[in-house]
Amino acid sequence: MVYQHGDGVDIPEESKMRHLGSWLPNDHRVQHDWMAKHIAHVDSHPQQQLIPVLQEFQELIESNSRIYMYFDKMWDEVPMKKPYYYDPTGRRQIRDYHHMLAVLNRIFTQAPQWNETAFGVGMVGVPMVSIFDYVMATPSGHAAFLDPDVNKMIKKILNEWGKFLKSPQSAEVLTTDGTGWFSQHGQKDLMEVANTPLRTAYNFEDMYVCDPKAKHYGYTSWDDFFTRQLRPDVRPIASPTDDTIIANACESTPYALSRGASLRAKFWIKSQPYSIIDILAHDPLSAHFGHGTVYQAFLSALSYHRWHAPVNGRVVRASVEGGTYFSEPLFGPSSPPTSASTSPQIYEINTHGFRQSQGYLAALATRAVIFIQADNPVIGLMAFVAVGMDEVSTCEITVRQGQRIDKGEQLGMFHFGGSSHCLLFREGVRVEGFPQSSLGHNVPVRGQLAVVR
């Protein structure tokens, strides 16, 4: 039973939400209870001065007519009906951009932690997504979160929050208290997710490098905990000298496999076909991957966030591509208004959100792109792409161009979490045996992912 998954809990149908990677609890009531507590604190206390970066955000909104229109309208475009409101009186939790800024101001003083409620336990790993949950998928929200000026500002905001998540103060959530990451339910979820791939029975201190006798298990910050390292041998490298075996680059759950992917495709439509040029950030090397194979898998908020080499070879090129942070596809109204009295709020928001947007995000979100020349000539040039998601978009590459890498060697990591990753192979490379997208749990990092024939 994983609490974050809502296992063993009788969740009302309207509150069941299957979130890829468990960045938000599958019981939507837990997320909204978490939000309600922050809103109650903001509403019941004197107005606090915004931190400087949020003051700058407010100035951007109010000094730019286009951006002001977006942030004023997006809240009005959220339908006033279930499931979009959770206040007993039928009001939205976040009411306007002023309220949004006040709640952001509060959450920026806290690292993600567990939330105990009357109906269950869960963890909100992406607090800003909770704030923007529904407005991202309104017409004005869609436009706002694609806007270059807005994304430039959001990057500044996330950089400031990142500084806090690397500070000693952020480690205060790494406790055995009920809301701490080392609480009974926190450790249970962490280790159930970690032990499932190889059916092991490790404790946290057996799996991860830490000092259970030290304060905060020896971690100096929340980010230090989230980028924790595995102990030697808990994730063996699949056939280190056999170049026909592809190792799994990230501890991740299969999402999709596409063969014959187009160099350019309309990744924003409902089917979200992979668009290789866009995924590979318009690098000239993307021309080698037309009609090739794309494998995508997503990372869990509860597991390991470092990336490892899938093959033996050499790094040809490695770079981080800036992108969007809270953009998700907008598929339009499900049906047109039937009369003049119909509410103008005709857009039915896709409540599945990011869990149905992975192909879209691979083309637009902040991402690290690493081209590798494999030792196996049958594979030749391949690519690894680490795709960031919303506030967990910081990608750090730890290898350099021209570097020799061994299968299983570290390539880099997500800071503050992560989203998904892709492996790309050229047309004609017969790579087979990928796990099914229905697997439902992580494939172990550095374990066997596929075989090249």
Side-chain angles (χ1 to χ4, degrees), residues 14-63:
E14 66 271 15
S15 298
K16 290 180 180 178
M17 298 288 285
R18 181 177 174 268
H19 292 287
L20 289 182
S22 300
W23 294 98
L24 294 169
N26 282 357
D27 187 339
H28 214 39
R29 297 172 301 174
V30 177
Q31 176 186 343
H32 280 271
D33 180 85
W34 174 90
M35 179 66 73
K37 290 173 181 175
H38 285 291
I39 289 173
H41 183 276
V42 167
D43 291 349
S44 62
H45 288 75
Q47 184 175 352
Q48 300 294 307
Q49 183 176 7
L50 297 176
I51 61 174
V53 73
L54 292 180
Q55 290 181 29
E56 188 178 347
F57 191 17
Q58 181 175 3
E59 290 166 6
L60 173 67
I61 292 171
E62 295 177 348
S63 64

Side-chain angles (χ1 to χ4, degrees), residues 352-407:
H352 297 129
F354 282 116
R355 77 178 188 269
Q356 287 191 349
S357 307
Q358 296 301 306
Y360 175 88
L361 291 173
L364 279 184
T366 297
R367 56 208 180 276
V369 180
I370 302 176
F371 292 95
I372 301 170
Q373 184 69 34
D375 285 352
N376 185 341
V378 175
I379 299 173
L381 186 68
M382 64 165 298
F384 165 84
V385 182
V387 184
M389 179 184 76
D390 39 81
E391 61 247 61
V392 289
S393 294
T394 301
C395 302
E396 179 187 359
I397 297 173
T398 57
V399 293
R400 65 187 184 279
Q401 183 173 329
Q403 180 178 333
R404 168 76 196 176
I405 53 172
D406 294 327
K407 188 191 301 184

